[in-house]
Amino acid sequence: MANTVLILVGTRKGAFVLESDAARKEWSLRGPFCETWPMNHVVGDPATGTIYAGGGNEWFGPAVWRSDDAGRSWSHSSQGLAYPEGETPVRAVWSLGLRNGSLYAGVEPAGLFESRDGGKSFSHVAGLREHPSRPEWQAGAGGLILHSMVLDPDDHDRIWVAISAAGVFHSADGGRSWEPRNSGTRCDFLPEDQRYPEFGQCVHCLVRAAGSSGRLYQQNHCGMYRSDDAARNWRSIEAGLPSTFGFPAAAHPRDENTLFLAPLNGDTAGRFMPEGKAAVWRTRDGGETWQDLRAGLPQHNAYLSVLRQALATDTLEPAGVYMGTTSGELYASADEGESWTQVASHLPGILSVETLARPG
């Protein structure tokens, strides 16, 4: 049983760590770390307690930072995080994933790298950028970024990634070959007769449901979707939500039917929470119905925005839910979203939120 819970926060000016016991009522804050580099994603390895932070920009370049002591000290490396000479340089690391001793990094311009030595060096998983559709990939508003990855915990060869704005791609052979998996997701920004292309969708977030059923969820620029067949086909589950637009999604750690969202009011309407009233939305039935959760969240002049990796759950019982905003507030719920507490404020703009539960 976990005795300590960490909230790992990536911001525009470094990484932060919040710590609490299993009750999750009081939190202590440490940071900023990583020399205040922009940190797009901070994750923890539950097997070792190691924390990894990925970030950078066109000035700093890309790097992955590592801490083996819960964030008190850090080292970093960019070895191998580069494309061949003549290609557009890697600007930043945008997403991190851990599985079976491997650390994966999704980068901008969109591509995938793997480290087998704990982030000391990386090798390019070249098959993704060799896909025939690559010359037609288009950048989203935030750039051409690989921002989400799903690593099958039971099959080391299966990987799903999401790229803005190229769509979802899947590999069944460890990254040597890939296929687009976007059937059923629409592109409202294309002419009506082209709205369901093979690739080119603007995916905002891709997450795996608990269990081994093959269920995935995605928040798209153009709707909310669920797949029950490992992303071969998608169906809309946006009915009942206040908007078809948002960035993050967070899956329950044990229940495949429970998902949390933070919808925004639209891509051209300000990209803040509808009516300036903060809410996290939850489904308990795989997206058939939705409930807005507001207790403890601001309901007046709350023009908050939450980015694609800034909503997370923990593994405790009941599951905790955590949400970070671009204006630097961090909210926590220890009861699956029924009630919320602001546990940090005035942080730099929050880019990602993840959790790490550990003994001791």
Side-chain angles (χ1 to χ4, degrees):
M1 179 177 176
N3 295 320
T4 302
V5 181
L6 303 181
I7 310 175
L8 310 175
V9 183
T11 79
R12 299 189 188 279
K13 297 180 181 179
F16 292 80
V17 177
L18 286 87
E19 183 171 339
S20 182
D21 60 17
R24 297 163 290 177
K25 293 182 178 180
E26 301 290 336
W27 295 88
S28 61
L29 173 69
R30 301 195 305 272
F33 301 119
C34 307
E35 298 178 10
T36 65
W37 280 36
M39 286 293 112
N40 293 316
H41 200 198
V42 185
V43 301
D45 186 344
T48 65
T50 301
I51 300 173
Y52 297 96
N57 58 24
E58 62 270 24
W59 301 105
F60 292 107
V64 173
W65 295 71
R66 171 178 174 147
S67 174
D68 295 309
D69 54 10
R72 292 171 180 84
S73 62
W74 296 79
S75 61
H76 74 284
S77 175
S78 59
Q79 183 178 339
L81 287 171
Y83 293 135
E85 187 175 353
E87 294 193 30
T88 301
V90 176
R91 296 189 182 95
V93 173
W94 273 85
S95 56
L96 297 172
L98 292 158
R99 180 183 59 182
N100 297 336
S102 287
L103 172 66
Y104 290 87
V107 304
E108 176 194 5
L112 186 65
F113 289 79
E114 181 183 7
S115 173
R116 297 187 179 182
D117 57 10
K120 296 177 183 176
S121 63
F122 289 83
S123 59
H124 184 207
V125 183
L128 180 59
R129 286 173 63 85
E130 292 170 353
H131 192 271
S133 66
R134 172 63 186 88
E136 299 179 62
W137 294 357
Q138 299 294 319
L144 182 61
I145 56 176
L146 195 162
H147 54 68
S148 298
M149 68 179 78
V150 173
L151 307 171
D152 191 321
D154 302 316
D155 185 343
H156 191 75
D157 288 330
R158 296 217 302 173
I159 308 170
W160 294 260
V161 299
I163 299 170
S164 293
V168 173
F169 288 79
H170 173 259
S171 175
D173 56 13
R176 291 185 294 276
S177 64
W178 297 79
E179 65 176 15
R181 289 197 172 177
N182 300 291
S183 178
T185 54
R186 67 184 185 274
C187 294
D188 292 339
F189 43 82
L190 293 179
E192 189 169 351
D193 61 349
Q194 301 175 30
R195 287 189 177 172
Y196 291 89
E198 183 182 17
F199 61 90
Q201 286 82 351
C202 189
V203 186
H204 283 177
C205 185
L206 178 71
V207 296
R208 175 182 177 272
S212 56
S213 67
R215 178 175 293 180
L216 298 168
Y217 296 98
Q218 69 160 285
Q219 173 68 71
N220 196 286
H221 189 106
C222 307
M224 184 65 210
Y225 299 90
R226 173 182 130 189
S227 172
D228 294 321
D229 57 5
R232 292 179 180 87
N233 297 280
W234 296 91
R235 71 178 182 89
S236 171
I237 56 170
E238 62 202 49
L241 290 170
S243 168
T244 61
F245 182 87
F247 285 101
H252 191 279
R254 291 172 293 277
D255 181 5
E256 69 172 12
N257 291 311
T258 298
L259 184 76
F260 301 90
L261 298 179
L264 304 181
N265 64 346
D267 57 348
T268 61
R271 300 191 177 200
F272 51 75
M273 289 191 168
E275 300 180 348
K277 299 177 180 180
V280 171
W281 291 70
R282 182 183 66 198
T283 180
R284 294 287 201 189
D285 52 18
E288 300 299 326
T289 60
W290 296 91
Q291 177 187 7
D292 57 327
L293 308 171
R294 301 179 182 271
L297 294 174
Q299 298 300 296
H300 181 66
N301 292 334
Y303 300 102
L304 306 179
S305 183
V306 182
L307 297 181
R308 68 182 84 247
Q309 307 213 80
L311 186 68
T313 58
D314 67 28
T315 57
L316 276 65
E317 177 65 49
V321 191
Y322 307 89
M323 178 177 69
T325 72
T326 57
S327 46
E329 298 96 355
L330 181 65
Y331 296 93
S333 169
D335 54 12
E336 306 200 353
E338 294 293 335
S339 61
W340 294 84
T341 302
Q342 184 173 312
V343 296
S345 58
H346 311 305
L347 297 180
I350 295 174
L351 304 177
S352 75
V353 176
E354 297 286 359
T355 66
L356 178 62
R358 56 182 189 151

